[in-house]
Amino acid sequence: GLPRILRLPPLFAAEGVSDVCWSGTGGLAAVDYGVMSHPRELDGPRLHAWAARAVAELSARRAEINALNVFPVPDADTGSNMTHTMEAALNEARKLDSDATVARITEALAVGSVRGARGNSGVVLSQVLRAIAQAAADGVIDGRTIQKSLSIARSLVDRAITDPVEGTVVTVLRASAIAAEQAVEEGYGSLTDVVNHAVWAARTALARTPSQLEVLREAGVVDAGGQGLVILLESLQQQITGAPGPAGGLDAGTQTGT
């Protein structure tokens, strides 16, 4: 029979696609009604702009993320740690010439984040940026690069965290990596498609974290690190689609320190 059509989440609807159906393999397939034109790749300026946007978004929502921080201890620093780590990454990239290549920018972001990582959440963020640098070593960031980056990040984080717990940023990262891989496998390998799938899966996994971790459920919150990762991915999505940045502009909150 005909595929069952579902209403698409807002992140897809914003792309000019209004419905989705289940594909034959059980995955989601977007029904294209005229998608807006978006870049097929991230060039140097767009990549740098994404990093600045991510810093601004994390900074603007730092207090919100800190308030979610109840696991493993309620020290209310996850938002501050992730902001500081991303600031360190951006500051390293800003040392490069304006015509720096994609490969050099991703390398700088990785180096800066690893050196400036704070807390477990900062370590996870730094591993995501390391993964992007590895996947973009050939100087290209397209849909397949993002898919590969998330897959590499998943492996790096699994090795970096000795005792991973479900219902945390690890769970959110895994969901986004699986969704990106599924998107590519099912023929939705463009930059926009892969990022949209990753964001949607990350949001869904984040919403489920209270059901996986009792301390979150008792506090009535989602995982703080997972929320930070969703913001990072949403910033990339917004950069690709040309969405406006946070109030105060993309340079808001980009100074070193927390």
Side-chain angles (χ1 to χ4, degrees), residues 154-176:
R154 179 183 173 186
S155 297
L156 290 175
V157 170
D158 284 345
R159 292 199 295 267
I161 298 181
T162 56
D163 189 20
V165 176
E166 292 301 319
T168 65
V169 63
V170 175
T171 308
V172 178
L173 175 60
R174 183 192 308 122
S176 65

mmCIF file with all atom_site columns, all heavy atoms in Angstrom, residues 154-176:
data_model
loop_
_atom_site.group_PDB
_atom_site.id
_atom_site.type_symbol
_atom_site.label_atom_id
_atom_site.label_alt_id
_atom_site.label_comp_id
_atom_site.label_asym_id
_atom_site.label_entity_id
_atom_site.label_seq_id
_atom_site.pdbx_PDB_ins_code
_atom_site.Cartn_x
_atom_site.Cartn_y
_atom_site.Cartn_z
_atom_site.occupancy
_atom_site.B_iso_or_equiv
_atom_site.pdbx_formal_charge
_atom_site.auth_seq_id
_atom_site.auth_comp_id
_atom_site.auth_asym_id
_atom_site.auth_atom_id
_atom_site.pdbx_PDB_model_num
ATOM 1   N N   . ARG A 1 154 ? 31.562 9.300  18.240 1.00 0.00 ? 154 ARG A N   1
ATOM 2   C CA  . ARG A 1 154 ? 30.977 8.255  19.086 1.00 0.00 ? 154 ARG A CA  1
ATOM 3   C C   . ARG A 1 154 ? 32.055 7.308  19.595 1.00 0.00 ? 154 ARG A C   1
ATOM 4   O O   . ARG A 1 154 ? 32.093 6.965  20.784 1.00 0.00 ? 154 ARG A O   1
ATOM 5   C CB  . ARG A 1 154 ? 29.919 7.501  18.289 1.00 0.00 ? 154 ARG A CB  1
ATOM 6   C CG  . ARG A 1 154 ? 29.252 6.368  19.035 1.00 0.00 ? 154 ARG A CG  1
ATOM 7   C CD  . ARG A 1 154 ? 28.271 5.649  18.119 1.00 0.00 ? 154 ARG A CD  1
ATOM 8   N NE  . ARG A 1 154 ? 27.739 4.455  18.749 1.00 0.00 ? 154 ARG A NE  1
ATOM 9   C CZ  . ARG A 1 154 ? 26.943 3.575  18.143 1.00 0.00 ? 154 ARG A CZ  1
ATOM 10  N NH1 . ARG A 1 154 ? 26.577 3.797  16.880 1.00 0.00 ? 154 ARG A NH1 1
ATOM 11  N NH2 . ARG A 1 154 ? 26.502 2.501  18.784 1.00 0.00 ? 154 ARG A NH2 1
ATOM 12  N N   . SER A 1 155 ? 32.964 6.905  18.708 1.00 0.00 ? 155 SER A N   1
ATOM 13  C CA  . SER A 1 155 ? 34.049 6.001  19.100 1.00 0.00 ? 155 SER A CA  1
ATOM 14  C C   . SER A 1 155 ? 35.022 6.688  20.052 1.00 0.00 ? 155 SER A C   1
ATOM 15  O O   . SER A 1 155 ? 35.464 6.096  21.047 1.00 0.00 ? 155 SER A O   1
ATOM 16  C CB  . SER A 1 155 ? 34.803 5.513  17.862 1.00 0.00 ? 155 SER A CB  1
ATOM 17  O OG  . SER A 1 155 ? 33.957 4.760  17.016 1.00 0.00 ? 155 SER A OG  1
ATOM 18  N N   . LEU A 1 156 ? 35.364 7.940  19.755 1.00 0.00 ? 156 LEU A N   1
ATOM 19  C CA  . LEU A 1 156 ? 36.301 8.677  20.607 1.00 0.00 ? 156 LEU A CA  1
ATOM 20  C C   . LEU A 1 156 ? 35.742 8.873  22.009 1.00 0.00 ? 156 LEU A C   1
ATOM 21  O O   . LEU A 1 156 ? 36.455 8.714  23.008 1.00 0.00 ? 156 LEU A O   1
ATOM 22  C CB  . LEU A 1 156 ? 36.624 10.037 19.982 1.00 0.00 ? 156 LEU A CB  1
ATOM 23  C CG  . LEU A 1 156 ? 37.461 10.047 18.707 1.00 0.00 ? 156 LEU A CG  1
ATOM 24  C CD1 . LEU A 1 156 ? 37.579 11.461 18.155 1.00 0.00 ? 156 LEU A CD1 1
ATOM 25  C CD2 . LEU A 1 156 ? 38.847 9.457  18.964 1.00 0.00 ? 156 LEU A CD2 1
ATOM 26  N N   . VAL A 1 157 ? 34.467 9.219  22.088 1.00 0.00 ? 157 VAL A N   1
ATOM 27  C CA  . VAL A 1 157 ? 33.837 9.453  23.391 1.00 0.00 ? 157 VAL A CA  1
ATOM 28  C C   . VAL A 1 157 ? 33.726 8.145  24.175 1.00 0.00 ? 157 VAL A C   1
ATOM 29  O O   . VAL A 1 157 ? 33.937 8.126  25.395 1.00 0.00 ? 157 VAL A O   1
ATOM 30  C CB  . VAL A 1 157 ? 32.460 10.113 23.218 1.00 0.00 ? 157 VAL A CB  1
ATOM 31  C CG1 . VAL A 1 157 ? 31.689 10.126 24.539 1.00 0.00 ? 157 VAL A CG1 1
ATOM 32  C CG2 . VAL A 1 157 ? 32.632 11.536 22.698 1.00 0.00 ? 157 VAL A CG2 1
ATOM 33  N N   . ASP A 1 158 ? 33.401 7.069  23.483 1.00 0.00 ? 158 ASP A N   1
ATOM 34  C CA  . ASP A 1 158 ? 33.329 5.766  24.158 1.00 0.00 ? 158 ASP A CA  1
ATOM 35  C C   . ASP A 1 158 ? 34.664 5.406  24.793 1.00 0.00 ? 158 ASP A C   1
ATOM 36  O O   . ASP A 1 158 ? 34.717 4.798  25.874 1.00 0.00 ? 158 ASP A O   1
ATOM 37  C CB  . ASP A 1 158 ? 32.912 4.672  23.175 1.00 0.00 ? 158 ASP A CB  1
ATOM 38  C CG  . ASP A 1 158 ? 31.430 4.704  22.854 1.00 0.00 ? 158 ASP A CG  1
ATOM 39  O OD1 . ASP A 1 158 ? 30.681 5.371  23.598 1.00 0.00 ? 158 ASP A OD1 1
ATOM 40  O OD2 . ASP A 1 158 ? 31.017 4.069  21.862 1.00 0.00 ? 158 ASP A OD2 1
ATOM 41  N N   . ARG A 1 159 ? 35.765 5.795  24.135 1.00 0.00 ? 159 ARG A N   1
ATOM 42  C CA  . ARG A 1 159 ? 37.093 5.508  24.677 1.00 0.00 ? 159 ARG A CA  1
ATOM 43  C C   . ARG A 1 159 ? 37.486 6.507  25.766 1.00 0.00 ? 159 ARG A C   1
ATOM 44  O O   . ARG A 1 159 ? 38.229 6.162  26.691 1.00 0.00 ? 159 ARG A O   1
ATOM 45  C CB  . ARG A 1 159 ? 38.145 5.530  23.566 1.00 0.00 ? 159 ARG A CB  1
ATOM 46  C CG  . ARG A 1 159 ? 38.009 4.382  22.574 1.00 0.00 ? 159 ARG A CG  1
ATOM 47  C CD  . ARG A 1 159 ? 39.303 4.164  21.801 1.00 0.00 ? 159 ARG A CD  1
ATOM 48  N NE  . ARG A 1 159 ? 39.640 5.289  20.946 1.00 0.00 ? 159 ARG A NE  1
ATOM 49  C CZ  . ARG A 1 159 ? 39.285 5.387  19.670 1.00 0.00 ? 159 ARG A CZ  1
ATOM 50  N NH1 . ARG A 1 159 ? 38.556 4.431  19.107 1.00 0.00 ? 159 ARG A NH1 1
ATOM 51  N NH2 . ARG A 1 159 ? 39.651 6.423  18.941 1.00 0.00 ? 159 ARG A NH2 1
ATOM 52  N N   . ALA A 1 160 ? 36.991 7.734  25.644 1.00 0.00 ? 160 ALA A N   1
ATOM 53  C CA  . ALA A 1 160 ? 37.387 8.784  26.596 1.00 0.00 ? 160 ALA A CA  1
ATOM 54  C C   . ALA A 1 160 ? 36.669 8.668  27.939 1.00 0.00 ? 160 ALA A C   1
ATOM 55  O O   . ALA A 1 160 ? 37.218 9.054  28.967 1.00 0.00 ? 160 ALA A O   1
ATOM 56  C CB  . ALA A 1 160 ? 37.123 10.160 25.987 1.00 0.00 ? 160 ALA A CB  1
ATOM 57  N N   . ILE A 1 161 ? 35.453 8.135  27.922 1.00 0.00 ? 161 ILE A N   1
ATOM 58  C CA  . ILE A 1 161 ? 34.667 8.019  29.149 1.00 0.00 ? 161 ILE A CA  1
ATOM 59  C C   . ILE A 1 161 ? 34.717 6.570  29.612 1.00 0.00 ? 161 ILE A C   1
ATOM 60  O O   . ILE A 1 161 ? 34.217 5.668  28.928 1.00 0.00 ? 161 ILE A O   1
ATOM 61  C CB  . ILE A 1 161 ? 33.217 8.477  28.918 1.00 0.00 ? 161 ILE A CB  1
ATOM 62  C CG1 . ILE A 1 161 ? 33.208 9.959  28.504 1.00 0.00 ? 161 ILE A CG1 1
ATOM 63  C CG2 . ILE A 1 161 ? 32.376 8.259  30.176 1.00 0.00 ? 161 ILE A CG2 1
ATOM 64  C CD1 . ILE A 1 161 ? 31.841 10.520 28.277 1.00 0.00 ? 161 ILE A CD1 1
ATOM 65  N N   . THR A 1 162 ? 35.304 6.346  30.772 1.00 0.00 ? 162 THR A N   1
ATOM 66  C CA  . THR A 1 162 ? 35.544 4.982  31.241 1.00 0.00 ? 162 THR A CA  1
ATOM 67  C C   . THR A 1 162 ? 34.278 4.251  31.654 1.00 0.00 ? 162 THR A C   1
ATOM 68  O O   . THR A 1 162 ? 34.182 3.038  31.493 1.00 0.00 ? 162 THR A O   1
ATOM 69  C CB  . THR A 1 162 ? 36.517 5.007  32.435 1.00 0.00 ? 162 THR A CB  1
ATOM 70  O OG1 . THR A 1 162 ? 35.990 5.858  33.461 1.00 0.00 ? 162 THR A OG1 1
ATOM 71  C CG2 . THR A 1 162 ? 37.884 5.523  31.999 1.00 0.00 ? 162 THR A CG2 1
ATOM 72  N N   . ASP A 1 163 ? 33.311 4.964  32.173 1.00 0.00 ? 163 ASP A N   1
ATOM 73  C CA  . ASP A 1 163 ? 32.093 4.304  32.643 1.00 0.00 ? 163 ASP A CA  1
ATOM 74  C C   . ASP A 1 163 ? 30.869 5.056  32.115 1.00 0.00 ? 163 ASP A C   1
ATOM 75  O O   . ASP A 1 163 ? 30.180 5.751  32.861 1.00 0.00 ? 163 ASP A O   1
ATOM 76  C CB  . ASP A 1 163 ? 32.070 4.269  34.179 1.00 0.00 ? 163 ASP A CB  1
ATOM 77  C CG  . ASP A 1 163 ? 30.946 3.413  34.725 1.00 0.00 ? 163 ASP A CG  1
ATOM 78  O OD1 . ASP A 1 163 ? 30.427 2.564  33.968 1.00 0.00 ? 163 ASP A OD1 1
ATOM 79  O OD2 . ASP A 1 163 ? 30.581 3.597  35.905 1.00 0.00 ? 163 ASP A OD2 1
ATOM 80  N N   . PRO A 1 164 ? 30.577 4.936  30.824 1.00 0.00 ? 164 PRO A N   1
ATOM 81  C CA  . PRO A 1 164 ? 29.451 5.674  30.238 1.00 0.00 ? 164 PRO A CA  1
ATOM 82  C C   . PRO A 1 164 ? 28.111 5.248  30.834 1.00 0.00 ? 164 PRO A C   1
ATOM 83  O O   . PRO A 1 164 ? 27.898 4.072  31.155 1.00 0.00 ? 164 PRO A O   1
ATOM 84  C CB  . PRO A 1 164 ? 29.530 5.320  28.752 1.00 0.00 ? 164 PRO A CB  1
ATOM 85  C CG  . PRO A 1 164 ? 30.248 4.011  28.714 1.00 0.00 ? 164 PRO A CG  1
ATOM 86  C CD  . PRO A 1 164 ? 31.237 4.056  29.848 1.00 0.00 ? 164 PRO A CD  1
ATOM 87  N N   . VAL A 1 165 ? 27.224 6.204  30.998 1.00 0.00 ? 165 VAL A N   1
ATOM 88  C CA  . VAL A 1 165 ? 25.904 5.962  31.588 1.00 0.00 ? 165 VAL A CA  1
ATOM 89  C C   . VAL A 1 165 ? 24.835 6.346  30.573 1.00 0.00 ? 165 VAL A C   1
ATOM 90  O O   . VAL A 1 165 ? 24.932 7.409  29.935 1.00 0.00 ? 165 VAL A O   1
ATOM 91  C CB  . VAL A 1 165 ? 25.723 6.789  32.889 1.00 0.00 ? 165 VAL A CB  1
ATOM 92  C CG1 . VAL A 1 165 ? 24.320 6.609  33.453 1.00 0.00 ? 165 VAL A CG1 1
ATOM 93  C CG2 . VAL A 1 165 ? 26.782 6.393  33.923 1.00 0.00 ? 165 VAL A CG2 1
ATOM 94  N N   . GLU A 1 166 ? 23.842 5.505  30.411 1.00 0.00 ? 166 GLU A N   1
ATOM 95  C CA  . GLU A 1 166 ? 22.741 5.818  29.505 1.00 0.00 ? 166 GLU A CA  1
ATOM 96  C C   . GLU A 1 166 ? 21.910 6.962  30.072 1.00 0.00 ? 166 GLU A C   1
ATOM 97  O O   . GLU A 1 166 ? 21.758 7.099  31.288 1.00 0.00 ? 166 GLU A O   1
ATOM 98  C CB  . GLU A 1 166 ? 21.859 4.590  29.279 1.00 0.00 ? 166 GLU A CB  1
ATOM 99  C CG  . GLU A 1 166 ? 22.541 3.485  28.499 1.00 0.00 ? 166 GLU A CG  1
ATOM 100 C CD  . GLU A 1 166 ? 22.998 3.939  27.124 1.00 0.00 ? 166 GLU A CD  1
ATOM 101 O OE1 . GLU A 1 166 ? 22.247 4.678  26.443 1.00 0.00 ? 166 GLU A OE1 1
ATOM 102 O OE2 . GLU A 1 166 ? 24.117 3.571  26.726 1.00 0.00 ? 166 GLU A OE2 1
ATOM 103 N N   . GLY A 1 167 ? 21.343 7.769  29.184 1.00 0.00 ? 167 GLY A N   1
ATOM 104 C CA  . GLY A 1 167 ? 20.562 8.921  29.610 1.00 0.00 ? 167 GLY A CA  1
ATOM 105 C C   . GLY A 1 167 ? 21.401 10.168 29.755 1.00 0.00 ? 167 GLY A C   1
ATOM 106 O O   . GLY A 1 167 ? 20.988 11.147 30.375 1.00 0.00 ? 167 GLY A O   1
ATOM 107 N N   . THR A 1 168 ? 22.602 10.128 29.164 1.00 0.00 ? 168 THR A N   1
ATOM 108 C CA  . THR A 1 168 ? 23.511 11.271 29.223 1.00 0.00 ? 168 THR A CA  1
ATOM 109 C C   . THR A 1 168 ? 23.866 11.713 27.809 1.00 0.00 ? 168 THR A C   1
ATOM 110 O O   . THR A 1 168 ? 23.304 11.228 26.829 1.00 0.00 ? 168 THR A O   1
ATOM 111 C CB  . THR A 1 168 ? 24.796 10.903 29.989 1.00 0.00 ? 168 THR A CB  1
ATOM 112 O OG1 . THR A 1 168 ? 25.499 9.893  29.245 1.00 0.00 ? 168 THR A OG1 1
ATOM 113 C CG2 . THR A 1 168 ? 24.482 10.380 31.380 1.00 0.00 ? 168 THR A CG2 1
ATOM 114 N N   . VAL A 1 169 ? 24.848 12.595 27.701 1.00 0.00 ? 169 VAL A N   1
ATOM 115 C CA  . VAL A 1 169 ? 25.289 13.095 26.398 1.00 0.00 ? 169 VAL A CA  1
ATOM 116 C C   . VAL A 1 169 ? 25.774 11.954 25.506 1.00 0.00 ? 169 VAL A C   1
ATOM 117 O O   . VAL A 1 169 ? 25.667 12.032 24.276 1.00 0.00 ? 169 VAL A O   1
ATOM 118 C CB  . VAL A 1 169 ? 26.395 14.157 26.584 1.00 0.00 ? 169 VAL A CB  1
ATOM 119 C CG1 . VAL A 1 169 ? 27.629 13.565 27.239 1.00 0.00 ? 169 VAL A CG1 1
ATOM 120 C CG2 . VAL A 1 169 ? 26.746 14.815 25.260 1.00 0.00 ? 169 VAL A CG2 1
ATOM 121 N N   . VAL A 1 170 ? 26.276 10.888 26.111 1.00 0.00 ? 170 VAL A N   1
ATOM 122 C CA  . VAL A 1 170 ? 26.736 9.735  25.324 1.00 0.00 ? 170 VAL A CA  1
ATOM 123 C C   . VAL A 1 170 ? 25.572 9.139  24.529 1.00 0.00 ? 170 VAL A C   1
ATOM 124 O O   . VAL A 1 170 ? 25.713 8.786  23.354 1.00 0.00 ? 170 VAL A O   1
ATOM 125 C CB  . VAL A 1 170 ? 27.355 8.667  26.254 1.00 0.00 ? 170 VAL A CB  1
ATOM 126 C CG1 . VAL A 1 170 ? 27.731 7.420  25.460 1.00 0.00 ? 170 VAL A CG1 1
ATOM 127 C CG2 . VAL A 1 170 ? 28.571 9.225  26.985 1.00 0.00 ? 170 VAL A CG2 1
ATOM 128 N N   . THR A 1 171 ? 24.426 9.048  25.173 1.00 0.00 ? 171 THR A N   1
ATOM 129 C CA  . THR A 1 171 ? 23.228 8.508  24.516 1.00 0.00 ? 171 THR A CA  1
ATOM 130 C C   . THR A 1 171 ? 22.777 9.414  23.385 1.00 0.00 ? 171 THR A C   1
ATOM 131 O O   . THR A 1 171 ? 22.391 8.947  22.308 1.00 0.00 ? 171 THR A O   1
ATOM 132 C CB  . THR A 1 171 ? 22.095 8.359  25.548 1.00 0.00 ? 171 THR A CB  1
ATOM 133 O OG1 . THR A 1 171 ? 22.565 7.616  26.673 1.00 0.00 ? 171 THR A OG1 1
ATOM 134 C CG2 . THR A 1 171 ? 20.890 7.662  24.947 1.00 0.00 ? 171 THR A CG2 1
ATOM 135 N N   . VAL A 1 172 ? 22.799 10.714 23.618 1.00 0.00 ? 172 VAL A N   1
ATOM 136 C CA  . VAL A 1 172 ? 22.373 11.684 22.613 1.00 0.00 ? 172 VAL A CA  1
ATOM 137 C C   . VAL A 1 172 ? 23.304 11.656 21.405 1.00 0.00 ? 172 VAL A C   1
ATOM 138 O O   . VAL A 1 172 ? 22.859 11.682 20.246 1.00 0.00 ? 172 VAL A O   1
ATOM 139 C CB  . VAL A 1 172 ? 22.302 13.095 23.221 1.00 0.00 ? 172 VAL A CB  1
ATOM 140 C CG1 . VAL A 1 172 ? 21.917 14.127 22.164 1.00 0.00 ? 172 VAL A CG1 1
ATOM 141 C CG2 . VAL A 1 172 ? 21.295 13.131 24.379 1.00 0.00 ? 172 VAL A CG2 1
ATOM 142 N N   . LEU A 1 173 ? 24.601 11.579 21.659 1.00 0.00 ? 173 LEU A N   1
ATOM 143 C CA  . LEU A 1 173 ? 25.582 11.510 20.576 1.00 0.00 ? 173 LEU A CA  1
ATOM 144 C C   . LEU A 1 173 ? 25.389 10.245 19.749 1.00 0.00 ? 173 LEU A C   1
ATOM 145 O O   . LEU A 1 173 ? 25.418 10.283 18.512 1.00 0.00 ? 173 LEU A O   1
ATOM 146 C CB  . LEU A 1 173 ? 26.997 11.562 21.140 1.00 0.00 ? 173 LEU A CB  1
ATOM 147 C CG  . LEU A 1 173 ? 28.140 11.383 20.135 1.00 0.00 ? 173 LEU A CG  1
ATOM 148 C CD1 . LEU A 1 173 ? 28.096 12.461 19.062 1.00 0.00 ? 173 LEU A CD1 1
ATOM 149 C CD2 . LEU A 1 173 ? 29.487 11.391 20.856 1.00 0.00 ? 173 LEU A CD2 1
ATOM 150 N N   . ARG A 1 174 ? 25.189 9.125  20.421 1.00 0.00 ? 174 ARG A N   1
ATOM 151 C CA  . ARG A 1 174 ? 24.996 7.867  19.701 1.00 0.00 ? 174 ARG A CA  1
ATOM 152 C C   . ARG A 1 174 ? 23.775 7.936  18.797 1.00 0.00 ? 174 ARG A C   1
ATOM 153 O O   . ARG A 1 174 ? 23.814 7.502  17.641 1.00 0.00 ? 174 ARG A O   1
ATOM 154 C CB  . ARG A 1 174 ? 24.829 6.708  20.682 1.00 0.00 ? 174 ARG A CB  1
ATOM 155 C CG  . ARG A 1 174 ? 24.698 5.351  19.977 1.00 0.00 ? 174 ARG A CG  1
ATOM 156 C CD  . ARG A 1 174 ? 24.239 4.243  20.905 1.00 0.00 ? 174 ARG A CD  1
ATOM 157 N NE  . ARG A 1 174 ? 25.058 4.185  22.097 1.00 0.00 ? 174 ARG A NE  1
ATOM 158 C CZ  . ARG A 1 174 ? 24.583 4.310  23.327 1.00 0.00 ? 174 ARG A CZ  1
ATOM 159 N NH1 . ARG A 1 174 ? 23.293 4.506  23.517 1.00 0.00 ? 174 ARG A NH1 1
ATOM 160 N NH2 . ARG A 1 174 ? 25.389 4.228  24.362 1.00 0.00 ? 174 ARG A NH2 1
ATOM 161 N N   . ALA A 1 175 ? 22.678 8.493  19.305 1.00 0.00 ? 175 ALA A N   1
ATOM 162 C CA  . ALA A 1 175 ? 21.449 8.595  18.511 1.00 0.00 ? 175 ALA A CA  1
ATOM 163 C C   . ALA A 1 175 ? 21.661 9.444  17.272 1.00 0.00 ? 175 ALA A C   1
ATOM 164 O O   . ALA A 1 175 ? 21.192 9.104  16.176 1.00 0.00 ? 175 ALA A O   1
ATOM 165 C CB  . ALA A 1 175 ? 20.325 9.176  19.370 1.00 0.00 ? 175 ALA A CB  1
ATOM 166 N N   . SER A 1 176 ? 22.379 10.550 17.411 1.00 0.00 ? 176 SER A N   1
ATOM 167 C CA  . SER A 1 176 ? 22.616 11.428 16.265 1.00 0.00 ? 176 SER A CA  1
ATOM 168 C C   . SER A 1 176 ? 23.516 10.741 15.239 1.00 0.00 ? 176 SER A C   1
ATOM 169 O O   . SER A 1 176 ? 23.314 10.877 14.029 1.00 0.00 ? 176 SER A O   1
ATOM 170 C CB  . SER A 1 176 ? 23.233 12.755 16.716 1.00 0.00 ? 176 SER A CB  1
ATOM 171 O OG  . SER A 1 176 ? 24.527 12.572 17.265 1.00 0.00 ? 176 SER A OG  1
#
